[in-house]
Every structure is written in structure tokens, then in C-alpha cells.
Amino acid sequence: MKGTEDNLLTEPALDAPRIVSAYDWGALGDVIDVGGGDGTLLIALLNEYPALRGQVLDLPDVAEWARKRIDAAGLADRGGAIAGDFFDELPAGAEGYLLAYVLRNRDDEDARRILRRCAEAAGEDGAVFVIETVAERGAHRDLPALTALVESAGLVVADVHDAGEVAVLELSNR
Ligand SMILES: C[S@@+](CC[C@H](N)C(=O)[O-])C[C@H]1O[C@@H](n2cnc3c(N)ncnc32)[C@H](O)[C@@H]1O
């Protein structure tokens, strides 16, 4: 678990500023950071975009950890955390479903299941955002492989926002 926590704490802390500025997240009313870990990315987003609301969805212990950090950051009025499983039905109706560094640890079959859950929850009006390193550092799938994966899950790449080594793929339902 220690190794997992180290990963959670270092990489998003390093990349969050780039992800925050790669897209106008404030244009979305609310987001769910699916598998959002300790809330580092969501906290950075809520700090940058004062009208944005958001929730981390993660396994119970991690969600509790994220909730405490979001509270401590003074963001409880716009942010929180939900205990959940991204293989199950997700809360519907948010405008953005973020998957940051989540698909990298999953084989194609599991990744498609997670993507489908997000797509179902996003519906016609929401979007799914896959955030992954696509350059050298720790890249598990490059951009063409990620594109093929999301298309095989029935999603369309509407745009790719460049955040340096990190890519933000904006996806919509077909
Ligand atoms: C590699 S970490 C990425 C964390 C975060 N998105 C980030 O950018 O640092 C994967 C996250 O998925 C969560 N996770 C693993 N299995 C899950 C499941 N079945 N449902 C929801 N979250 C899960 C883990 O607890 C962890 O927080």
C-alpha cells in the first residue's frame, strides 16, 4: 500500500498544474474524478476554477482520505468524495468524468468496462476525459493505442489537449 500511496502522491502533484491549464475545466459545471485518489487533481482544479464543483470517486478508504484533504483545503462547499467502484454504475449527470492515470494499470478489457461506466453516466450531455502520460515517462499506451482503446469502448475522441508529456483526451459518446 505504501508504494501505491507514493504513486498517488508524487505523479499528480507533479502534473496537476499542467492538467489544470490544458483545458478550460471551468466551462464545466461539475466533474467527477473517477479513481481520483487523494484528491490532488480535484483540489487543484477547484482552486483554479472558482465556479467548478467536483467529487472524487474512489474506493472507501481512499475516498475518505480525499474527503479529508478536500475539507482541509477549505473546499467542502464545492467538493467532496464518494465511495464507489468504477466497475459499477456511476453517479449520472455530471458534465465531466475524469480518468487520470487510471487506465494505465488496466488491461484493455477492464479499461473498456471503466470507460463504458463513465460514458453511461455522462450520457449525451457529458464528456469523459482520459488523462495519461503519452511520452516517455511511464507511458503504458501511446496516443494511437489510447485512441484505439477508447474507440473500441464506443467513444469518440472529440479533442486532444496537450499538457506536455500528458495528454487530455476529451471523449464523447458516439
Ligand atoms: C493509479 S491511481 C490514480 C489516482 C489519481 N487519479 C491520480 O491522478 O493520481 C488509481 C486509483 O484508482 C483507484 N481504484 C482502484 N480500483 C478502483 C475501483 N474498483 N473503483 C474505484 N476506484 C478504484 C485507486 O484507489 C487509486 O486511487
Side-chain angles (χ1 to χ4, degrees):
M1 187 61 191
K2 183 70 169 67
T4 305
E5 289 187 8
D6 284 346
N7 291 342
L8 288 173
L9 289 172
T10 53
E11 195 151 21
L14 213 63
D15 292 335
R18 288 187 288 198
I19 298 167
V20 165
S21 57
Y23 179 76
D24 180 14
W25 302 100
L28 304 172
D30 58 339
V31 296
I32 298 183
D33 191 0
V34 178
D38 68 359
T40 295
L41 177 58
L42 182 65
I43 289 168
L45 290 169
L46 295 180
N47 278 330
E48 182 67 21
Y49 299 100
L52 184 66
R53 287 170 283 112
Q55 300 283 327
V56 163
L57 184 143
D58 210 298
L59 298 172
D61 287 355
V62 184
E64 181 58 17
W65 180 25
R67 191 189 58 72
K68 285 183 181 153
R69 294 191 70 237
I70 291 163
D71 286 356
L75 295 165
D77 56 334
R78 292 185 292 123
I82 304 165
D85 185 328
F86 50 45
F87 291 111
D88 293 338
E89 187 176 336
L90 299 175
E95 288 179 50
Y97 291 79
L98 280 53
L99 287 169
Y101 311 130
V102 167
L103 300 185
R104 62 177 50 188
N105 296 324
R106 305 287 163 179
D107 63 23
D108 285 1
E109 188 182 340
D110 278 357
R112 270 192 290 272
R113 289 172 61 204
I114 297 165
L115 284 162
R116 285 308 314 155
R117 289 306 193 186
C118 291
E120 287 158 13
E124 293 290 310
D125 299 327
V128 181
F129 295 86
V130 170
I131 300 163
E132 284 290 345
T133 46
V134 290
E136 283 305 303
R137 180 166 55 86
H140 289 231
R141 294 181 181 93
D142 60 14
L143 199 49
L146 267 179
T147 301
L149 174 68
V150 302
E151 287 178 349
S152 74
L155 286 152
V156 175
V157 179
D159 210 341
V160 179
H161 307 280
D162 183 6
E165 291 176 343
V166 183
V168 177
L169 280 72
E170 181 181 353
L171 314 175
S172 57
N173 277 300
R174 274 190 207 280

